[in-house]
Structures are given as C-alpha cells and as structure tokens.
Amino acid sequence: MTRQPPPERTDVVCECLQVTECQLLATLTQGEVQTLRDLRQATGAGDGCTACHHLLKQYVQRRA
C-alpha cells in the first residue's frame, strides 16, 4: 500500500511558524491584542520571513 502525503493545511497564515487562522482568531478573541506587535508576541506569527505581516494586520484591523 502506497503511503499518501498528509493533506495540505489551508488554514496556515504564517508559513514559517505554522500559525493557523484558528490560533490567530482565538488569540484575538481574548481581547488583549490591539496591535500587530501584540499579535506577534502572543502567537509568534510573523517572526520568520515577515511575508504574512499584511495578513496579520488585516486580522487586527477586523478585530478593532
């Protein structure tokens, strides 16, 4: 039997650190995150290549 690769995760927002949309939303609902910096510190997202910063900003803005 041929082993199949795991299904691709489509909910990953930060590829470098594998931070998912679910993790971001859970952090944002706690109410302590007000800025991109807060979100980065709380989740670690965006600490790699920074390519996801524009997406992270959108999550923070929608929450505000």
Coordinates of all heavy atoms in Angstrom, one line a residue:
M1 N 0.8 -1.2 0.0 CA 0.0 0.0 0.0 C 0.9 1.2 0.0 O 1.8 1.4 0.8 CB -0.9 0.0 1.2 CG -1.8 1.1 1.3 SD -2.9 0.9 2.7 CE -4.2 2.0 2.2
T2 N 0.6 2.2 -0.9 CA 1.4 3.4 -1.0 C 0.9 4.4 0.0 O -0.3 4.6 0.2 CB 1.2 4.0 -2.4 OG1 1.6 3.0 -3.4 CG2 2.1 5.2 -2.5
R3 N 1.8 5.0 0.7 CA 1.5 6.0 1.7 C 1.2 7.3 1.1 O 2.0 7.8 0.3 CB 2.7 6.1 2.7 CG 2.3 6.8 4.0 CD 3.4 6.6 5.0 NE 2.8 7.0 6.2 CZ 3.5 7.2 7.3 NH1 4.8 6.8 7.3 NH2 3.0 7.6 8.4
Q4 N 0.1 7.9 1.5 CA -0.3 9.2 0.9 C 0.3 10.3 1.8 O 0.4 10.2 3.0 CB -1.8 9.4 0.9 CG -2.5 8.4 0.0 CD -2.2 8.6 -1.4 OE1 -2.1 9.8 -1.8 NE2 -2.1 7.6 -2.2
P5 N 0.7 11.4 1.2 CA 1.2 12.6 2.0 C 0.1 13.1 2.8 O -1.1 13.0 2.4 CB 1.7 13.6 0.9 CG 0.9 13.2 -0.3 CD 0.7 11.7 -0.3
P6 N 0.4 13.8 3.9 CA -0.7 14.4 4.7 C -1.4 15.5 3.9 O -0.8 16.1 3.0 CB 0.1 15.0 5.9 CG 1.5 15.1 5.5 CD 1.7 14.0 4.4
P7 N -2.7 15.7 4.2 CA -3.4 16.8 3.5 C -2.8 18.1 3.7 O -2.2 18.4 4.8 CB -4.8 16.7 4.1 CG -4.7 16.0 5.3 CD -3.5 15.1 5.2
E8 N -2.8 19.0 2.7 CA -2.2 20.3 2.9 C -3.1 21.2 3.8 O -4.3 21.2 3.7 CB -2.1 21.0 1.5 CG -1.4 22.3 1.5 CD -1.2 22.8 0.1 OE1 -0.9 22.0 -0.8 OE2 -1.4 24.0 -0.1
R9 N -2.4 21.9 4.7 CA -3.1 22.7 5.6 C -3.4 24.0 4.9 O -2.5 24.7 4.5 CB -2.3 23.0 6.9 CG -1.9 21.8 7.6 CD -2.5 21.5 8.9 NE -3.2 22.5 9.6 CZ -3.0 22.9 10.8 NH1 -2.0 22.4 11.5 NH2 -3.7 23.8 11.4
T10 N -4.7 24.4 4.8 CA -5.1 25.6 4.1 C -5.3 26.7 5.1 O -5.5 27.8 4.6 CB -6.3 25.4 3.2 OG1 -7.4 24.9 4.1 CG2 -6.0 24.3 2.1
D11 N -5.4 26.4 6.3 CA -5.7 27.5 7.3 C -4.4 28.1 7.9 O -4.5 28.9 8.8 CB -6.6 26.9 8.4 CG -6.0 25.8 9.2 OD1 -5.0 25.1 8.7 OD2 -6.4 25.6 10.3
V12 N -3.2 27.8 7.4 CA -2.0 28.3 7.9 C -1.8 29.7 7.4 O -1.8 29.9 6.2 CB -0.8 27.4 7.5 CG1 0.5 28.1 7.9 CG2 -0.9 26.1 8.2
V13 N -1.6 30.7 8.3 CA -1.4 32.1 7.9 C 0.1 32.4 7.9 O 0.5 33.1 7.0 CB -2.2 33.0 8.8 CG1 -1.9 34.5 8.5 CG2 -3.7 32.7 8.8
C14 N 0.8 31.9 8.9 CA 2.2 32.2 9.0 C 2.9 30.8 8.6 O 2.9 29.9 9.4 CB 2.6 32.6 10.4 SG 4.4 32.8 10.6
E15 N 3.4 30.7 7.4 CA 4.1 29.5 6.9 C 5.3 29.2 7.7 O 5.6 28.0 8.0 CB 4.4 29.6 5.4 CG 3.2 29.7 4.5 CD 2.5 28.3 4.4 OE1 3.1 27.3 4.7 OE2 1.3 28.3 4.1
C16 N 6.1 30.2 8.1 CA 7.4 29.9 8.7 C 7.2 29.2 10.1 O 7.9 28.3 10.4 CB 8.1 31.2 9.0 SG 8.7 32.0 7.5
L17 N 6.2 29.7 10.8 CA 6.0 29.1 12.2 C 4.7 28.3 12.3 O 4.3 27.9 13.4 CB 6.0 30.3 13.2 CG 7.3 31.0 13.2 CD1 7.2 32.3 13.9 CD2 8.3 30.1 14.0
Q18 N 4.0 28.1 11.1 CA 2.8 27.2 11.1 C 1.7 27.7 12.0 O 1.1 26.9 12.7 CB 3.2 25.8 11.4 CG 4.1 25.2 10.3 CD 3.4 25.1 8.9 OE1 2.4 24.4 8.8 NE2 4.0 25.8 8.0
V19 N 1.5 29.0 12.1 CA 0.5 29.6 12.9 C -0.8 29.6 12.1 O -0.8 30.1 11.0 CB 0.8 31.0 13.4 CG1 -0.3 31.6 14.3 CG2 2.1 30.9 14.2
T20 N -1.9 29.0 12.6 CA -3.1 28.9 11.8 C -4.1 30.0 12.1 O -3.9 30.8 13.1 CB -3.8 27.6 12.2 OG1 -4.2 27.6 13.6 CG2 -2.9 26.4 12.0
E21 N -5.0 30.1 11.2 CA -6.1 31.1 11.4 C -6.8 30.9 12.7 O -7.2 31.9 13.4 CB -7.1 31.1 10.2 CG -8.2 32.1 10.3 CD -9.1 32.1 9.1 OE1 -9.5 31.0 8.7 OE2 -9.4 33.2 8.7
C22 N -7.1 29.7 13.0 CA -7.8 29.3 14.3 C -7.0 29.9 15.5 O -7.6 30.4 16.4 CB -8.0 27.8 14.4 SG -9.2 27.2 13.2
Q23 N -5.7 29.7 15.5 CA -4.9 30.2 16.6 C -4.9 31.7 16.7 O -5.1 32.3 17.8 CB -3.4 29.8 16.4 CG -3.2 28.3 16.6 CD -1.8 27.9 16.2 OE1 -1.4 28.1 15.0 NE2 -1.1 27.3 17.1
L24 N -4.9 32.4 15.5 CA -5.0 33.9 15.5 C -6.3 34.3 16.0 O -6.4 35.2 16.8 CB -4.7 34.4 14.1 CG -3.4 34.2 13.5 CD1 -3.3 34.6 12.0 CD2 -2.3 34.9 14.3
L25 N -7.4 33.7 15.5 CA -8.7 34.2 16.0 C -8.9 33.9 17.5 O -9.5 34.7 18.1 CB -9.8 33.4 15.1 CG -9.8 33.8 13.7 CD1 -10.8 33.0 12.9 CD2 -10.1 35.3 13.5
A26 N -8.4 32.8 18.0 CA -8.6 32.5 19.4 C -7.8 33.6 20.2 O -8.3 34.0 21.2 CB -8.0 31.1 19.7
T27 N -6.7 34.0 19.7 CA -5.9 35.0 20.4 C -6.6 36.3 20.4 O -6.6 37.0 21.4 CB -4.5 35.1 19.8 OG1 -3.8 33.8 19.9 CG2 -3.6 36.1 20.5
L28 N -7.1 36.7 19.2 CA -7.8 37.9 19.1 C -9.1 38.0 19.9 O -9.4 39.1 20.4 CB -8.1 38.2 17.6 CG -6.9 38.5 16.7 CD1 -7.2 38.4 15.2 CD2 -6.4 39.9 17.0
T29 N -9.7 37.0 20.1 CA -11.0 37.0 20.9 C -10.7 37.2 22.4 O -11.6 37.5 23.1 CB -11.8 35.7 20.7 OG1 -11.1 34.6 21.1 CG2 -12.3 35.6 19.3
Q30 N -9.5 37.0 22.8 CA -9.2 37.2 24.2 C -9.2 38.7 24.6 O -9.2 39.0 25.8 CB -7.8 36.6 24.6 CG -7.8 35.1 24.5 CD -6.4 34.5 24.7 OE1 -5.4 35.2 24.8 NE2 -6.4 33.2 24.7
G31 N -9.1 39.5 23.6 CA -9.3 41.0 23.9 C -8.1 41.7 24.3 O -8.1 42.9 24.4
E32 N -6.9 41.0 24.5 CA -5.7 41.7 24.9 C -4.9 42.2 23.8 O -3.9 42.9 23.9 CB -4.9 40.8 25.8 CG -5.7 40.5 27.1 CD -4.9 39.5 28.0 OE1 -3.7 39.3 27.8 OE2 -5.6 38.9 28.9
V33 N -5.2 41.8 22.5 CA -4.4 42.1 21.4 C -5.0 43.4 20.7 O -6.2 43.4 20.3 CB -4.3 41.0 20.4 CG1 -3.7 41.4 19.1 CG2 -3.6 39.8 21.0
Q34 N -4.2 44.4 20.6 CA -4.6 45.7 20.0 C -3.8 46.0 18.8 O -4.3 46.8 17.9 CB -4.5 46.8 21.0 CG -5.3 46.6 22.3 CD -6.8 46.5 22.0 OE1 -7.4 47.2 21.2 NE2 -7.5 45.6 22.7
T35 N -2.6 45.5 18.6 CA -1.7 45.9 17.5 C -1.1 44.6 16.9 O -1.2 43.5 17.5 CB -0.6 46.8 18.1 OG1 0.2 46.0 18.9 CG2 -1.1 48.0 18.8
L36 N -0.5 44.9 15.8 CA 0.3 43.8 15.1 C 1.3 43.2 16.0 O 1.5 42.0 16.1 CB 0.9 44.3 13.8 CG 1.8 43.3 13.1 CD1 1.1 42.0 12.7 CD2 2.4 44.0 11.9
R37 N 2.0 44.1 16.7 CA 3.1 43.7 17.6 C 2.5 42.8 18.7 O 3.1 41.8 19.1 CB 3.7 44.9 18.2 CG 4.9 44.6 19.1 CD 5.6 45.8 19.7 NE 6.7 45.5 20.4 CZ 7.5 46.3 21.0 NH1 7.3 47.6 20.9 NH2 8.6 45.9 21.7
D38 N 1.3 43.2 19.3 CA 0.7 42.4 20.3 C 0.4 41.0 19.8 O 0.6 40.0 20.4 CB -0.6 43.0 20.8 CG -0.5 44.3 21.5 OD1 0.6 44.6 22.0 OD2 -1.5 45.0 21.6
L39 N -0.1 40.9 18.5 CA -0.5 39.6 17.9 C 0.8 38.8 17.7 O 0.8 37.6 18.0 CB -1.2 39.8 16.6 CG -1.8 38.6 15.9 CD1 -2.7 37.8 16.8 CD2 -2.4 39.0 14.6
R40 N 1.8 39.4 17.2 CA 3.1 38.7 17.0 C 3.6 38.1 18.3 O 4.1 37.0 18.4 CB 4.1 39.6 16.3 CG 3.7 39.9 14.9 CD 4.7 40.8 14.2 NE 6.0 40.3 14.3 CZ 7.2 41.0 14.4 NH1 7.1 42.3 14.5 NH2 8.3 40.4 14.5
Q41 N 3.6 38.9 19.4 CA 4.1 38.5 20.6 C 3.3 37.4 21.2 O 3.8 36.4 21.8 CB 4.2 39.6 21.6 CG 5.3 40.6 21.3 CD 5.4 41.8 22.3 OE1 4.4 42.2 22.9 NE2 6.5 42.4 22.3
A42 N 2.0 37.4 21.0 CA 1.1 36.4 21.6 C 1.2 35.1 20.9 O 1.0 34.0 21.5 CB -0.3 36.9 21.6
T43 N 1.4 35.1 19.5 CA 1.3 33.9 18.7 C 2.6 33.5 18.1 O 2.8 32.3 17.7 CB 0.3 34.1 17.6 OG1 0.8 35.1 16.7 CG2 -1.1 34.4 18.1
G44 N 3.6 34.4 18.0 CA 4.8 34.1 17.3 C 4.7 34.3 15.8 O 5.7 34.2 15.1
A45 N 3.5 34.5 15.3 CA 3.3 34.7 13.9 C 4.1 35.9 13.4 O 4.1 36.9 14.1 CB 1.8 34.8 13.6
G46 N 4.6 35.8 12.2 CA 5.3 36.9 11.6 C 6.8 37.1 12.1 O 7.4 38.1 11.7
D47 N 7.3 36.2 12.9 CA 8.6 36.3 13.3 C 9.7 35.7 12.4 O 10.8 35.7 12.7 CB 8.8 35.8 14.8 CG 8.2 36.7 15.8 OD1 7.9 37.8 15.5 OD2 8.0 36.2 16.9
G48 N 9.2 35.1 11.3 CA 10.1 34.5 10.4 C 10.5 35.4 9.3 O 11.1 36.5 9.5
C49 N 9.9 35.2 8.1 CA 10.3 36.0 6.9 C 9.5 37.3 6.8 O 9.8 38.1 6.0 CB 10.0 35.1 5.6 SG 8.3 34.9 5.2
T50 N 8.5 37.5 7.6 CA 7.6 38.6 7.7 C 6.6 38.8 6.5 O 5.9 39.8 6.4 CB 8.3 40.0 7.9 OG1 9.0 40.3 6.7 CG2 9.3 39.9 9.1
A51 N 6.6 37.8 5.6 CA 5.7 37.9 4.4 C 4.2 37.9 4.8 O 3.4 38.4 4.1 CB 5.9 36.7 3.5
C52 N 3.9 37.4 6.0 CA 2.5 37.4 6.4 C 2.0 38.7 7.2 O 0.9 38.8 7.6 CB 2.2 36.2 7.3 SG 3.1 36.2 8.9
H53 N 2.9 39.6 7.4 CA 2.5 40.8 8.1 C 1.3 41.5 7.6 O 0.5 42.0 8.4 CB 3.7 41.8 8.2 CG 4.7 41.4 9.3 ND1 5.5 42.3 9.9 CD2 5.0 40.2 9.8 CE1 6.3 41.7 10.8 NE2 6.0 40.5 10.7
H54 N 1.1 41.6 6.3 CA 0.0 42.2 5.7 C -1.3 41.5 6.1 O -2.3 42.1 6.4 CB 0.1 42.4 4.2 CG 0.0 41.1 3.4 ND1 1.0 40.2 3.4 CD2 -1.0 40.6 2.7 CE1 0.7 39.2 2.6 NE2 -0.6 39.4 2.2
L55 N -1.3 40.2 6.2 CA -2.4 39.4 6.6 C -2.7 39.6 8.1 O -3.9 39.7 8.5 CB -2.2 37.9 6.3 CG -2.2 37.5 4.8 CD1 -1.8 36.1 4.7 CD2 -3.5 37.8 4.2
L56 N -1.7 39.6 8.9 CA -1.8 39.8 10.3 C -2.4 41.1 10.6 O -3.3 41.2 11.5 CB -0.5 39.6 11.0 CG 0.2 38.3 10.9 CD1 1.6 38.3 11.5 CD2 -0.6 37.1 11.4
K57 N -2.0 42.1 9.9 CA -2.6 43.5 10.1 C -4.1 43.5 9.8 O -4.9 44.1 10.5 CB -1.9 44.5 9.2 CG -0.5 44.9 9.6 CD 0.1 45.9 8.6 CE 1.6 46.1 9.0 NZ 2.2 47.0 8.0
Q58 N -4.5 42.7 8.8 CA -5.9 42.6 8.4 C -6.7 42.0 9.5 O -7.8 42.4 9.9 CB -6.1 41.9 7.1 CG -5.6 42.6 5.9 CD -5.7 41.8 4.6 OE1 -6.3 40.7 4.6 NE2 -5.2 42.3 3.6
Y59 N -6.2 41.0 10.2 CA -6.8 40.3 11.3 C -7.0 41.3 12.4 O -8.1 41.3 13.1 CB -6.1 39.1 11.8 CG -6.3 37.9 10.9 CD1 -5.4 37.5 9.9 CD2 -7.4 37.0 11.1 CE1 -5.6 36.4 9.1 CE2 -7.6 35.9 10.3 CZ -6.7 35.6 9.3 OH -6.9 34.5 8.5
V60 N -6.0 42.0 12.7 CA -6.0 43.0 13.8 C -7.1 44.1 13.5 O -7.9 44.5 14.4 CB -4.6 43.6 14.1 CG1 -4.7 44.8 15.1 CG2 -3.7 42.5 14.6
Q61 N -7.0 44.6 12.3 CA -8.0 45.7 11.9 C -9.4 45.2 12.0 O -10.3 46.0 12.4 CB -7.6 46.2 10.5 CG -6.3 47.0 10.5 CD -5.9 47.3 9.1 OE1 -6.4 46.8 8.1 NE2 -4.9 48.2 9.0
R62 N -9.7 44.0 11.5 CA -11.0 43.4 11.6 C -11.5 43.3 13.0 O -12.7 43.4 13.3 CB -11.1 42.1 10.9 CG -11.2 42.2 9.4 CD -11.5 40.9 8.8 NE -10.4 40.6 7.9 CZ -9.9 39.4 7.6 NH1 -10.5 38.3 8.1 NH2 -8.9 39.2 6.9
R63 N -10.6 43.0 13.9 CA -10.9 42.8 15.3 C -11.2 44.2 16.0 O -12.0 44.3 16.9 CB -9.8 42.1 16.0 CG -10.0 41.9 17.5 CD -11.1 40.9 17.8 NE -11.2 40.7 19.2 CZ -12.3 40.9 19.9 NH1 -13.4 41.2 19.3 NH2 -12.3 40.7 21.2
A64 N -10.6 45.2 15.5 CA -10.7 46.6 16.2 C -12.0 47.2 16.0 O -12.9 46.9 15.3 CB -9.7 47.5 15.6

